[in-house]
Structures are given as structure tokens and as C-alpha cells.
Amino acid sequence: MATTLKTLTDEEFVAPGRAGCNGCGAVIAARMATKVLGRNTLMANATGCMCVNYGYAGAPKFPFIHTLFENAAAIISGMDAGLRSLHKRDDVNLVVLAGDGGTTDIGLQALSGAVERGHRFLYICYDNEGYMNTGVQRSGATPYGAKTTTTPVGGDRLGEPRPLERRKDMVRLLAAHGIPYAATASIAHPLDYIRKVERAIAIDGSSYIHVLSPCSPGWGFAENMTIKIARLAVETHFFPIYEVEDGRWYRLTIKAERKKAVEEYLRLQGRFSHLFSERYRDEIARIQAEVDANWAYLKQLAALRAG
């Protein structure tokens, strides 16, 4: 029987005490996932925000390995192979928890190889769209126009210069590997998220979940607005929620009943505040057009399945 919010355990799988920021979206994402995964889990946690949370204070109540940025997927591959050789692979959940820097940039090669080899594990990327714990540098997931310490605003610079349409889409990238299951998720839609974790971990092969994790200090919003920001990302189609089976079959799992303008999402974040000056005003229309085009493309892919 699928987990519901009522049947989700009250047990916490992270010990009290942590070094994370108040309102951290990545902590919420990890907390929700571990409630589904339970104690019979082994986790490889790539260097990043959650490694600070888990490694410096508090700790998960299951075996945990702090890996380098680049090798989390390689280490989980070795754990899968080792457990199989010992005939102890059954009923053990192998999970990678990594940020977007360790996934879209530094760890991409290891992840690609692990999925190609068909190792059995769930890879969860908590995407806060930059290297936040080292001073808010841009990553391969940073959106167009966002201000970071390495994509500043001033002169002819308006923040991240790479168009949205060229931002690394990890779910589609892994779908191109033929991965059995890949999905996006949001902490503002917990039931959709936890059911995806539940489904992904049961697959006898590789699976991937990309969960948007708003970052209060890095994105420039009040720490009590994390869920509101995450919800707006979905309601504006800035961060579509969908899943892909066997690298081919797309399904939109959350559809905003009444789509909101992307401006509502951008306006609440300090990293986009410069876009509301007269000088950059046209850029918001450009972002809206790219968001709309991406949504239309996903709908076409989902229609192939429906047809």
C-alpha cells in the first residue's frame, strides 16, 4: 500500500542538532526522503550543504559516508557490487544525497557511469541552484539572470548569462541513458515527493529524483518563505514536476490548476531583484517565454505516452 501523509512514520532519521541554515529546503527534502527510506539504508553523501548538516552536527540514524564532490555515484556503485558479492543486497536501500554542484558539474561523470552500468541505487539531487555552503557560486543548475558571487550584476552583466533553455536538465539527461525511473519533485508537494521516493527505491536498477530545494541566504528570501517559494516554482511552471519511465515515457505529476506569471516567483527573491529595474525589464519577458516553451515541450512528451 502506498504511503500517505497519515501513514508516514513520525520517527525522525536524523539525530537532533545540525549546522544548517534556518528554513533550509535541502534539510526538508532529506527529512522527507529518509522517512520513506527508514533505518535499513546506507547513504553516500557528496560534499555540499547536507554534508555540513549531517557531518558537523546531528547525523542520520543509518550508516553514512561523506564522499568527495565527484565520487558519490562511484562509491554507491562499489557498495552495490560489494553487497551483491556477499549476498546481502536484498532489503538494503542504497542512496546518494548530493547537491546540484556535485551532480550537474563535478559528479556528473561518476553518475553517468553508474547508471550506464545499471547499479541499483537511488540518487537524490537537492537542487539549490548553486554552491551555497561555500559562498553562493553559480553551478550548472543556476537559472538565467540569477545573481551569485561568480555571476555578479553591474556594467554589462545581469547575473547568470546562460539561457534557461541551455541549463542542464538532469532528468532528461538521465532519461537519455535509458534509466528505469527519473523524476523531479518539490518539498511543497510532499505526497508526490515521498511516493516518488517509495517507487524509486523499489526499482531493481538505477533511479534518480531531482528535488528543488530553495535556499534562503543564497536566493535572498526570508527563512519562513521556503515552502512558498517552492510552491511558486511549480505554480509558474518554472520548475515542472514530472517523471520518466525507462527513459521514454513522460508524465506530468503536478499540474497547476491556474498557472501564475513567472514574475510572481522572481519578485520574492533577492537574486533576481535587478531584473525589476527598467534596464533589465525585458529579461523577465524572455524568462517567461523560455518557461512557457519548456512546459509546452514537456506536454508534448507526456502526450506521446497518453497517445
Side-chain angles (χ1 to χ4, degrees):
M1 180 180 296
T3 300
T4 68
L5 294 180
K6 287 185 177 179
T7 61
L8 190 67
T9 180
D10 291 332
E11 183 176 2
E12 298 290 344
F13 292 93
V14 179
R18 61 180 180 83
C21 306
N22 291 336
C24 175
V27 168
I28 297 171
R31 183 183 174 212
M32 290 180 182
T34 53
K35 280 178 172 287
V36 176
L37 297 169
R39 289 181 178 271
N40 207 20
T41 296
L42 305 178
M43 176 180 284
N45 186 192
T47 294
C49 291
M50 283 308 300
C51 206
V52 173
N53 275 282
Y54 280 172
Y56 294 177
K61 297 178 181 176
F62 43 72
F64 161 88
I65 298 175
H66 171 191
T67 76
L68 301 176
F69 267 119
E70 64 268 34
N71 65 353
I75 285 178
I76 210 77
S77 298
M79 293 164 71
D80 178 49
L83 287 170
R84 288 179 187 275
S85 70
L86 295 171
H87 304 289
K88 295 182 178 179
R89 183 63 184 88
D90 292 343
D91 302 323
V92 176
N93 297 323
L94 293 183
V95 180
V96 171
L97 184 63
D100 50 292
T103 302
T104 66
D105 298 334
I106 308 172
L108 181 57
Q109 180 181 2
L111 174 57
S112 175
V115 172
E116 181 189 18
R117 292 188 298 272
H119 287 288
R120 181 183 174 186
F121 66 95
L122 167 59
Y123 191 111
I124 299 177
C125 173
Y126 59 94
D127 182 5
N128 52 24
E129 300 182 336
Y131 293 83
M132 297 309 180
N133 71 313
T134 54
V136 193
Q137 296 88 16
R138 62 88 65 189
S139 77
T142 301
Y144 177 75
K147 177 173 57 181
T148 72
T149 53
T150 50
T151 55
V153 175
D156 60 351
R157 298 176 176 177
L158 54 64
E160 170 60 44
R162 184 222 325 99
L164 273 181
E165 63 188 10
R166 287 177 48 208
R167 186 167 58 158
K168 294 179 185 177
D169 186 322
M170 287 303 301
V171 170
R172 275 188 254 173
L173 193 155
L174 290 168
H177 286 65
I179 191 171
Y181 184 78
T184 61
S186 170
I187 56 175
H189 295 272
L191 189 56
D192 175 81
Y193 176 36
I194 64 177
R195 285 184 173 172
K196 284 173 175 171
V197 173
E198 194 172 45
R199 180 176 181 184
I201 201 63
I203 289 174
D204 187 14
S206 309
S207 55
Y208 177 88
I209 294 178
H210 196 98
V211 55
L212 185 68
S213 304
C215 171
S216 170
W219 295 14
F221 61 81
E223 61 193 33
N224 63 349
M225 293 178 62
T226 302
I227 297 299
K228 182 174 183 177
I229 296 287
R231 185 177 296 114
L232 275 172
V234 177
E235 292 174 340
T236 58
H237 298 169
F238 196 91
F239 189 83
I241 303 300
Y242 65 101
E243 60 187 7
V244 188
E245 295 177 5
D246 299 324
R248 300 174 61 191
W249 306 114
Y250 284 67
R251 188 169 77 92
L252 296 165
T253 59
I254 300 290
K255 300 177 183 177
E257 293 182 3
R258 181 175 173 273
K259 180 195 166 192
K260 296 183 177 178
V262 74
E263 182 174 334
E264 292 187 43
Y265 173 66
L266 303 178
R267 186 179 293 280
L268 298 179
Q269 302 173 54
R271 62 178 176 161
F272 295 118
S273 60
H274 56 287
L275 298 182
F276 291 87
S277 67
E278 284 302 316
R279 178 176 182 180
Y280 299 119
R281 192 70 185 179
D282 291 344
E283 300 301 331
I284 295 177
R286 174 179 178 174
I287 293 171
Q288 182 70 68
E290 293 189 3
V291 166
D292 291 345
N294 183 55
W295 180 255
Y297 182 62
L298 284 173
K299 286 180 67 176
Q300 289 179 358
L301 293 174
L304 293 175
R305 175 177 182 148

